[in-house]
Amino acid sequence: MNKAARIGILSLSVVIFCYAGIGHVLGRTPDDRAYKSLTVFGEVLQKIQQDYVDEPNMHLVTAGSLRGLLESLDTQSSYLTPREYTEYKQKLASSTPGDTGLTLSKRFGYVIVISVLPDSPGTKSGIRSGDIFESIAGFTTREMSVGQAQNLLSGQPGTGVKVCSDPSRQSDP
């Protein structure tokens, strides 16, 4: 092969390589990072299914990962299961939902009271800002989302819900 043919083939190869490389770089979108994260998520789930000692409950694993994903955004974001979401929508649709007057958040893995509205059922029951709820309606708040807690606390006016902020103190908002 003569020198001119080699230079021509090399030049053409460089142009094609640059065209493909530039197209790859320019064709990227911000969504590519999300899809890459989904690939990692899928690989982790696959590894769990293949290598975990016992047969994992993949429904619980997936729900737990979604819960962790949303709760890592901020203290107000949380994942509701389909059943919890249905209950939430039903309580919203009721004509007179009771409001406790509490603003809740998560700290130390538990539900905590950020603020209490004056003259609200929460104030009347003795709940104060900074109280940490260990349980609501008999359910521990250790892994409970803020949405679940608000769901358990809301209801018809005049109904009570038992909360425990420490073993020696219980309130009924």
Side-chain angles (χ1 to χ4, degrees):
M1 188 184 294
N2 66 17
K3 189 174 182 179
R6 278 192 233 165
I7 291 174
I9 291 174
L10 183 62
S11 298
L12 185 61
S13 298
V14 168
V15 167
I16 291 172
F17 180 75
C18 288
Y19 180 75
I22 290 171
H24 176 71
V25 170
L26 294 178
R28 284 188 162 179
T29 65
D31 293 337
D32 288 347
R33 287 187 294 167
Y35 291 121
K36 188 172 183 172
S37 296
L38 283 175
T39 302
V40 171
F41 179 75
E43 290 172 2
V44 169
L45 284 179
Q46 184 179 18
K47 199 73 164 152
I48 289 170
Q49 284 180 316
Q50 290 174 352
D51 298 338
Y52 195 69
V53 176
D54 297 325
E55 184 68 30
N57 182 337
M58 293 311 291
H59 178 71
L60 289 177
V61 171
T62 305
S65 63
L66 290 172
R67 189 174 314 281
L69 170 76
L70 290 169
E71 288 183 3
S72 69
L73 293 173
D74 58 59
T75 56
Q76 298 299 313
S77 298
S78 60
Y79 172 73
L80 297 175
T81 64
R83 189 193 61 158
E84 293 164 345
Y85 182 69
T86 302
E87 290 172 5
Y88 171 74
K89 293 297 272 186
Q90 286 173 347
K91 286 187 180 182
L92 280 180
S94 69
S95 58
T96 55
D99 184 30
T100 58
L102 304 175
T103 302
L104 305 175
S105 186
K106 289 276 288 200
R107 281 205 197 127
F108 317 115
Y110 289 95
V111 174
I112 186 169
V113 178
I114 299 298
S115 64
V116 185
L117 289 175
D119 298 324
S120 67
T123 303
K124 292 173 184 170
S125 66
I127 296 174
R128 297 181 305 266
S129 178
D131 283 352
I132 297 174
F133 289 160
E134 290 182 2
S135 67
I136 300 173
F139 299 102
T140 181
T141 64
R142 177 71 178 122
E143 297 300 323
M144 185 181 288
S145 68
V146 173
Q148 288 172 304
Q150 289 172 336
N151 219 7
L152 287 172
L153 289 171
S154 65
Q156 296 299 321
T159 60
V161 177
K162 187 163 283 229
V163 296
C164 181
S165 58
D166 65 52
S168 64
R169 184 179 149 190
Q170 292 190 358
S171 302
D172 239 0

